[in-house]
Amino acid sequence: MKKQKLSVIIPCYNEEKSIEPLYKAFKRCFSVLSYNIELIFIDDGSSDKTIVELKKLLKKQDFEIEVLHFSRNFGKEAAMYAGLERATGDYVGIIDADLQQKPELLVEMVQVLEKKEEYDCVCCYQERRIEDKTMTYLKKKFYALINKISEVELVDGASDFRVFRRYVVESILSLKEANRFSKGIFSWVGFNTYYMPYTPESRLYGKSSFGIKKLFLYAISGIISFSVAPLRIATFGGLLVSLLCFLYLVVVIIQKIFFTIDVPGYPTLIVTVLLIGSLILFCLGIIGEYIARIYMETKKRPLYITKEELSNKKKS
Ligand code: UDP
Ligand code: MG
């Protein structure tokens, strides 16, 4: 029988110090698996020596290794997509390069799929977040909101640290959108996911690329990719404001005609004008966010550009 294959996708951005220890960890843990292993490293336009470290790995022959070198930083989403496109394994896993996600867990995830036929994908989720309380709170709120207003169901703390069966990868790749919010895509394609709790290690080298601003924009992009509910704010907000305006109009007319009370002019006027003006701008902003994404989608630009594609596979 043909030996099965596990592909591992590793997006790397400024991870020069982690590459070697990560490779050693792979060597240590993958020995228990009787699979052919394919490692796909993506250097997402790092400004440090990540590519030099990756090229060193190509001299080794423990695993099949592919190295993709992006022409600039296109983001983790693009890197994961490029990896999924190239993965040829029966099982395909994604793991961060920074050693926060232990490769031992990747092995455990594969073993879950081996044992439990009813599952198509395994996903590690953080049972307990290691970040500060505000961040944990904000993330919790984000998950509650997106689950409420979108068609996808996201598990709080679910990471991109996953293993898929081949057909799941095919279905993920069939979603061609340029604005990729993978957590949503993984959930949107459906299938049976096994959620495995894990606690990420702290970062040994370098620093996280996901600061609060990037995470905030990522959250907005997630909501816009999977929900049209924000667009309805304009409809319902508009309806509500017109109703309130109408009620106020009735009050003003009654005051004027029946009680001959002088209707206060300037403050009411300025507050109303400013309020309605800002509401209109707010709604235009939301519409703008959607239009911007339609614009980017229609350009059909590639998700990434590769500078080099290298491999240690012997050309036959
Ligand atoms: N990463 C990437 N491109 C980017 C940012 C990050 O490929 O633009 C990679 C990074 O090298 C790491 C993984 O994505 O392997 C997760 O990034 P990071 O550790 O910065 O995120 P965090 O663990 O803090 O969520
Ligand atoms: Mg990390």
Side-chain angles (χ1 to χ4, degrees), residues 169-183:
V169 173
E170 302 298 340
S171 60
I172 293 168
L173 289 173
S174 72
L175 272 76
K176 299 283 181 211
E177 60 214 70
N179 271 294
R180 296 188 81 80
F181 179 70
S182 285
K183 286 190 175 82

Side-chain angles (χ1 to χ4, degrees), residues 128-261:
R128 216 168 28 85
R129 290 192 185 272
I130 54 169
E131 303 138 334
D132 63 276
K133 288 219 167 63
T134 328
M135 205 60 165
T136 309
Y137 175 80
L138 288 175
K139 286 189 175 174
K140 221 186 173 96
K141 286 285 159 214
F142 164 72
Y143 280 103
L145 177 69
I146 198 164
N147 283 335
K148 203 166 183 175
I149 65 173
S150 76
E151 53 185 324
V152 290
E153 192 67 40
L154 300 189
V155 171
D156 186 4
S159 63
D160 298 326
F161 188 24
R162 295 169 188 242
V163 176
F164 308 101
R165 289 191 200 273
R166 175 86 245 147
Y167 50 82
V168 182
V169 173
E170 302 298 340
S171 60
I172 293 168
L173 289 173
S174 72
L175 272 76
K176 299 283 181 211
E177 60 214 70
N179 271 294
R180 296 188 81 80
F181 179 70
S182 285
K183 286 190 175 82
I185 292 178
F186 297 156
S187 156
W188 189 90
V189 293
F191 299 106
N192 232 353
T193 306
Y194 182 90
Y195 288 96
M196 205 165 97
Y198 92 115
T199 311
E201 309 294 309
S202 34
R203 223 178 206 280
L204 287 180
Y205 314 102
K207 61 176 175 35
S208 168
S209 325
F210 291 88
I212 183 118
K213 188 176 156 214
K214 205 165 166 186
L215 278 179
F216 181 68
L217 293 176
Y218 186 62
I220 290 187
S221 143
I223 290 173
I224 291 178
S225 294
F226 285 93
S227 170
V228 290
L231 285 173
R232 300 207 174 107
I233 292 179
T235 322
F236 294 112
L239 270 175
L240 185 73
V241 173
S242 14
L243 188 73
L244 291 177
C245 286
F246 180 73
L247 290 177
Y248 186 58
L249 182 75
V250 173
V251 172
V252 170
I253 291 174
I254 293 174
Q255 283 180 329
K256 189 83 193 160
I257 299 179
F258 297 103
F259 302 99
T260 53
I261 298 171

Side-chain angles (χ1 to χ4, degrees), residues 10-15 42-46 70 73-77 79-80 95-101 126 131 139 160 183 198 200 203 207-211 214-215:
I10 312 118
C12 315
Y13 180 57
N14 293 342
E15 305 280 5
I42 299 101
D43 177 0
D44 185 12
S46 303
F70 281 1
N73 179 241
F74 283 92
K76 188 184 174 188
E77 292 288 337
M80 288 194 291
I95 186 168
D96 286 357
D98 55 6
L99 291 158
Q100 286 194 278
Q101 301 171 336
Q126 291 185 47
E131 303 138 334
K139 286 189 175 174
D160 298 326
K183 286 190 175 82
Y198 92 115
R203 223 178 206 280
K207 61 176 175 35
S208 168
S209 325
F210 291 88
K214 205 165 166 186
L215 278 179

